[in-house]
Structure formats: C-alpha cells, structure tokens
Amino acid sequence: MSIKNIPTLQQLAVQSLLSNQALAISALEFMPTNFFPPLFKEAFDGRHLGLLKAMVAAWPFACLPVGALMKTPDVEALQAVLEGLDMLQSQKVRPRRWKLQVLDLRNVHHDFLGVWTGPQAGAHSTETGSEKQVGRYLPRYVLRPRLKVVTDFSFRFQLKEHQTCLLQWAQQRKGSVRLCCLRMTICALPVEIIKKVLDIFHPHYIEELELFTNQVLPFLGHFASCLGRMRNLHKFRLTQIYLSTDRVVCPILTYTEEKCAIKFLSQFSKLNCLQHFSMNGVSFSSDHMKHLFRCLKTPLESLCITLCQLSQSYLKHLSQCLRLCHLKHLNLNGVELSKIRPTHLRVLLENVADTLQNLELMQCRMKDSQLSALLPALSQCSQLTRVNFYDNNLSMAVLKDLLQSMANLSKLTVELYPAPLECYDRQGYILVEKFTQVCPELWDIVTAQRQPKSVAFATRHCLECYRRCVYDMESTLCWCWQ
C-alpha cells in the first residue's frame, strides 16, 4: 500500500462508526462537527438509513445539501431524510447543536464534501465556512430561521415516484415545513396534477420557470393567477404553446382563448424581477405580443424568440418596447426574416447598441438587401462579444460588407459567419473547391483590421451527410469530402 492510499484517522473513525450503527447514533451529540459531512456521505452511499435519519435530526449546520448526493432519484434515501426531519420536528427539546434551517435537494453542489471545505474550513471554522459556501447558492429568504425544503422540479408527462413522495410529505406538513421550488419545468402534465402541485409550492419562491403544454385553454386559465404571484421570477421560458387566431373556423373557442390569453399575459405586469424571457415555437398573435410587451415592468437582460413566425407588426412592437432598450442578449434563431422588411429590426438594434453583447441570428434566411439594411446599426453595437449569422443567404459581396462593418468591434470573441451563396450549386449542394478558395479571402478581411479570437465560416448542412463544412484558419469538410 502506498503512502497516498493510507486512510486518515478520520476515515478510520468513520468506517468504525458505520460498522456499529447504534454506537454512531449515540455518539452524534458529542461528535466533532467536521465528522458529520464525511459520515453522512458514507451513510447515504451505503444506505445506512437508520443512521441517516438520526444525522438529519442532529445536523449541526444551517444547510444540508443532500441533493449533491442524489445523482439519480432514490426514493428510500429521500424517505429516510424526510423521516429525519419528522424526528426533528417531533422533539419537544431540540438537540443542543441542532442548527438545520434548509434541506437543499437541488443538485447544484458538484461535490458534497467540497461544500464543507475551503480556505475558511479549518478545525475551528468548519461550521462557518460550510454555511457560507452553501449560502452562496441560496436566496436570502431561504436562510431565515424556519425549516425549508429547497428543490428544483421538472414535471414531464407524469409524476415520478420520488416527486410524489416529496409532494405528499410536504402537503401533510404545510404548517411546519415550507417547500420551495426555485427552478420549475412543467411539460405536458394533466391540468388536475398541475393544480395540486401549484397548491403545494409557494409561487413566491420560484425564480426560473418553463412551461410546455398542449392543453392551452384550461392551463392558462388556471395558471394566470399563480403566475402573478411569482414575484421573484427572473427567468421565464414558454415552449410550444399555440393559440389559434382563426375566428372564422371557431369563433366561440377563439373568444375563450382570447380571454385566457389576455388574463395570462396581463400577469407580466406583476413580474418585477423578470430579466430573461424566452419563447420557443410559441404562436401568439401580434396583438397578444403587443399586450405582453406593454405589461413588462422591468428592463429585460435577454430576449430569446426562436422557431417562431414573426410578422411586420410583431417586430414593430419589439422595436417600440421601452423595456428592451437595455438588452444584453438577443436571440432570433430560426425566425424567418426573408419576407419581412428589416426596418424595425434595425431600430431595435440601434436601441440596444450600447448594451448588446450576444446577437444570435442563425437560420433566419436573411437576404442581401435585408442584412445590408442592418449594417449601420450593427457597426454601432460596440459591446458585442458574440455574433452568429449561420444559415443566412448572403452573397460574397455583402458578406465582405458585413465583415468590414464588424471590423471596429474590438470586444468580439466569437464570430460565426455563413459561407457565401457562391459556395453552392443550383440544387444547393456544396462546391467544396469554391468554399476552400473564398474562406481565406474572407479571413484576411477580418485579420486586416484586428486580431480575432474565434472566427468561423460555415456552409449549410450538407444535403447528403447533414454535416457542415467549416473554415477557421483551415478547412474541415463534411463527411462526403473526407
């Protein structure tokens, strides 16, 4: 055995305690605090459920980040931890060293033992150091002196066993324990289950939310009031939500949809912490979006509208919204702009020129005339660090103009440009020889003005192998040409 493999005295003591569970439980009251994290981890990994319950009830730190140990859902271990909380709540006289305020079930701490170590975690400061380490990941309100269970929840199609276990436990103890979900994803759950879930969680604590449902009418109708109570929500994502606007086909249904949509979108006026808003594959009418943007109360930091159909009036509402004038991130990937006049997009870029850092315009199918109209605004975006123009239909001449316009943007670190139209034949197949010929010329335009950090020119996906040809100082061809 090498010197590195010799166990420490603490490791030997932990193994000895694990071999005698009764002794370990009786020793918890007098055990040094720095023994608790390694012993808890070994008890959790070894499924010593009795010891696990006792350690939760005697935990000497403000937070127990047990989620770091649950790489995969473990119902029995979760039940043991929750029973430990019940033991704690049932004791008339709390343990002398008990300090537990937060049970953290989120998998945000990559190393359970690493949470309790650091520059301040010495023999006499393990407790203080660990609390500070854990506290960095939690909002202030979850560190108040009342027992809280903090989690992230992803509901996809049906509740899983460990989710049902936690929800039932929390429902029965609403008076003594508060269940706080910071990040929630709701995906195609039956409305009845969603109602029960939202009755258990406190909407005030939700900070990140993603909604994906095909039951638009009953869901939005019930969810609107709940959304309005999410006063700490700062990241909101809507995915694949469709509202019909065809009043000729079904006037009664669309009238109901209209009421639900307006009620839902009006709740944005109450989201005073919202900074990041995203819509992916969402179909709202232009009037709906006008109402939404009017309801925004705080400046957004990022706006992501992807795989959506935008009309001229839609872009007009975007350009006129005062809450979008300080955007740092704008993502319109997959939004077809080939049939839309670029006037309002140019105005939007001019409005955010002093703050915009990340611009994503991939797969927008922009033509020469449209991009040319944006060039004056793009050249003013002095804070840009990343741009993506992949999969736009630009000629060699306009692509050169684009590179010239970006020449003075010194903060750029990532630049992704499309190969020019001259690199394809009439059927859309890649002309590899042309690609390898023009890309060095384009590269020279960039390097003539500044020293770029990461620049790439790429073709559309090959019609045969569905791979791109990419040039970043040298060519990497698709599989058909390798």
Side-chain angles (χ1 to χ4, degrees):
M1 178 183 296
S2 66
I3 295 178
K4 292 183 179 180
N5 294 328
I6 296 177
T8 65
L9 291 176
Q10 185 186 71
Q11 291 171 334
L12 291 172
V14 167
Q15 293 304 318
S16 177
L17 289 170
L18 288 173
S19 65
N20 190 334
Q21 187 167 282
L23 174 63
I25 293 174
S26 64
L28 291 177
E29 185 178 355
F30 308 100
M31 185 183 299
T33 56
N34 60 327
F35 270 62
F36 272 78
L39 181 60
F40 187 91
K41 183 179 185 304
E42 293 297 327
F44 189 96
D45 293 342
R47 305 181 70 80
H48 300 276
L49 303 183
L51 177 57
L52 208 59
K53 289 188 287 186
M55 292 195 72
V56 171
W59 196 249
F61 304 103
C63 181
L64 174 55
V66 72
L69 302 176
M70 291 185 177
K71 304 303 181 184
T72 56
D74 189 327
V75 177
E76 290 187 355
L78 176 61
Q79 288 176 332
V81 171
L82 297 179
E83 288 174 9
L85 294 182
D86 288 339
M87 289 173 56
L88 181 62
Q89 295 288 319
S90 65
Q91 295 181 21
K92 295 182 180 180
V93 179
R94 296 290 175 88
R96 176 177 57 88
R97 302 162 63 192
W98 172 85
K99 291 187 178 181
L100 184 60
Q101 298 173 23
V102 178
L103 173 67
D104 191 351
L105 298 178
R106 301 171 301 149
N107 187 17
V108 296
H109 311 285
H110 300 294
D111 180 6
F112 179 81
L113 294 180
V115 174
W116 314 100
T117 59
Q120 297 180 337
H124 302 287
S125 62
T126 301
E127 183 174 317
T128 302
S130 63
E131 291 176 11
K132 289 183 178 180
Q133 291 283 341
V134 174
R136 291 187 305 175
Y137 295 92
L138 295 170
R140 291 180 180 178
Y141 49 75
V142 298
L143 294 177
R144 293 173 185 166
R146 182 185 175 187
L147 186 60
K148 296 179 177 68
V149 178
V150 183
T151 184
D152 292 333
F153 253 82
S154 179
F155 304 101
R156 297 184 181 275
F157 305 103
Q158 62 182 2
L159 292 178
K160 297 179 181 178
E161 186 178 1
H162 70 285
Q163 294 174 328
T164 301
C165 172
L166 178 60
L167 291 173
Q168 290 177 346
W169 179 86
Q171 176 67 29
Q172 296 168 3
R173 295 159 182 80
K174 291 184 71 171
S176 58
V177 175
R178 179 161 295 179
L179 184 61
C180 307
C181 179
L182 304 186
R183 182 183 301 154
M184 181 179 288
T185 300
I186 300 176
C187 178
L189 267 183
V191 175
E192 294 74 19
I193 296 180
I194 294 174
K195 290 180 180 180
K196 293 179 180 178
V197 169
L198 296 177
D199 286 341
I200 297 174
F201 285 105
H202 292 257
H204 177 80
Y205 294 101
I206 298 176
E207 296 183 349
E208 299 182 22
L209 176 66
E210 179 175 4
L211 298 182
F212 170 41
T213 178
N214 54 8
Q215 302 182 59
V216 177
L217 288 179
F219 179 78
L220 293 186
H222 173 79
F223 191 76
S225 59
C226 184
L227 176 64
R229 288 182 284 144
M230 296 183 185
R231 302 302 175 86
N232 285 291
L233 189 68
H234 67 262
K235 185 177 291 186
F236 190 16
R237 179 180 177 87
L238 294 174
T239 302
Q240 298 297 319
I241 294 180
Y242 173 77
L243 282 178
S244 173
T245 56
D246 190 349
R247 297 185 180 276
V248 177
V249 175
C250 187
I252 297 178
L253 178 62
T254 52
Y255 174 75
T256 306
E257 282 186 341
E258 187 70 18
K259 288 184 62 177
C260 289
I262 294 300
K263 182 180 179 182
F264 175 74
L265 297 173
S266 297
Q267 304 305 311
F268 279 74
S269 63
K270 302 175 183 178
L271 305 181
N272 295 324
C273 294
L274 188 64
Q275 294 180 320
H276 310 276
F277 182 53
S278 174
M279 297 192 301
N280 179 268
V282 174
S283 177
F284 282 169
S285 71
S286 176
D287 288 341
H288 291 152
M289 297 314 301
K290 180 180 180 180
H291 185 69
L292 187 156
F293 291 129
R294 282 182 174 178
C295 288
L296 290 176
K297 294 301 181 183
T298 56
L300 290 185
E301 183 175 318
S302 69
L303 176 65
C304 178
I305 303 176
T306 57
L307 301 178
C308 300
Q309 290 186 353
L310 300 191
S311 64
Q312 196 71 37
S313 57
Y314 198 135
L315 280 175
K316 180 180 179 181
H317 300 324
L318 281 176
S319 66
Q320 294 177 342
C321 180
L322 297 178
R323 304 307 180 187
L324 302 182
C325 290
H326 300 283
L327 283 178
K328 293 183 180 180
H329 309 280
L330 177 61
N331 186 340
L332 298 178
N333 286 345
V335 174
E336 185 173 352
L337 300 175
S338 61
K339 299 178 182 178
I340 300 177
R341 295 191 304 275
T343 307
H344 299 303
L345 180 55
R346 184 186 66 219
V347 172
L348 178 60
L349 291 176
E350 291 171 349
N351 291 341
V352 300
D354 294 334
T355 58
L356 191 63
Q357 298 175 6
N358 183 9
L359 178 61
E360 298 281 339
L361 293 174
M362 183 174 72
Q363 294 180 345
C364 293
R365 302 183 184 179
M366 282 191 294
K367 301 175 182 178
D368 283 353
S369 58
Q370 295 166 312
L371 186 68
S372 295
L374 300 180
L375 292 183
L378 285 170
S379 65
Q380 299 174 29
C381 296
S382 58
Q383 304 303 310
L384 277 175
T385 60
R386 174 188 168 89
V387 292
N388 186 351
F389 295 99
Y390 276 2
D391 299 334
N392 284 288
N393 302 320
L394 308 179
S395 67
M396 184 71 171
V398 170
L399 193 52
K400 287 181 178 180
D401 290 341
L402 173 60
L403 298 179
Q404 294 285 0
S405 297
M406 311 291 283
N408 294 323
L409 304 183
S410 58
K411 294 187 178 182
L412 282 171
T413 57
V414 178
E415 304 170 65
L416 305 176
Y417 299 106
L421 292 175
E422 287 81 354
C423 293
Y424 307 93
D425 65 14
R426 292 183 177 180
Q427 287 73 38
Y429 288 92
I430 301 169
L431 301 174
V432 172
E433 291 184 0
K434 188 67 174 180
F435 174 76
T436 57
Q437 174 188 344
V438 302
C439 285
E441 182 180 350
L442 295 170
W443 179 272
D444 289 340
I445 296 176
V446 179
T447 56
Q449 301 291 331
R450 53 186 166 82
Q451 294 299 317
K453 294 185 177 180
S454 177
V455 178
F457 299 91
T459 65
R460 297 190 290 263
H461 291 95
C462 173
L463 297 178
E464 297 291 340
C465 68
Y466 305 105
R467 306 284 292 185
R468 296 182 187 272
C469 294
V470 180
Y471 181 89
D472 50 0
M473 294 188 69
E474 61 180 28
S475 297
T476 302
L477 303 181
C478 68
W479 288 345
C480 297
W481 296 93
Q482 292 182 7

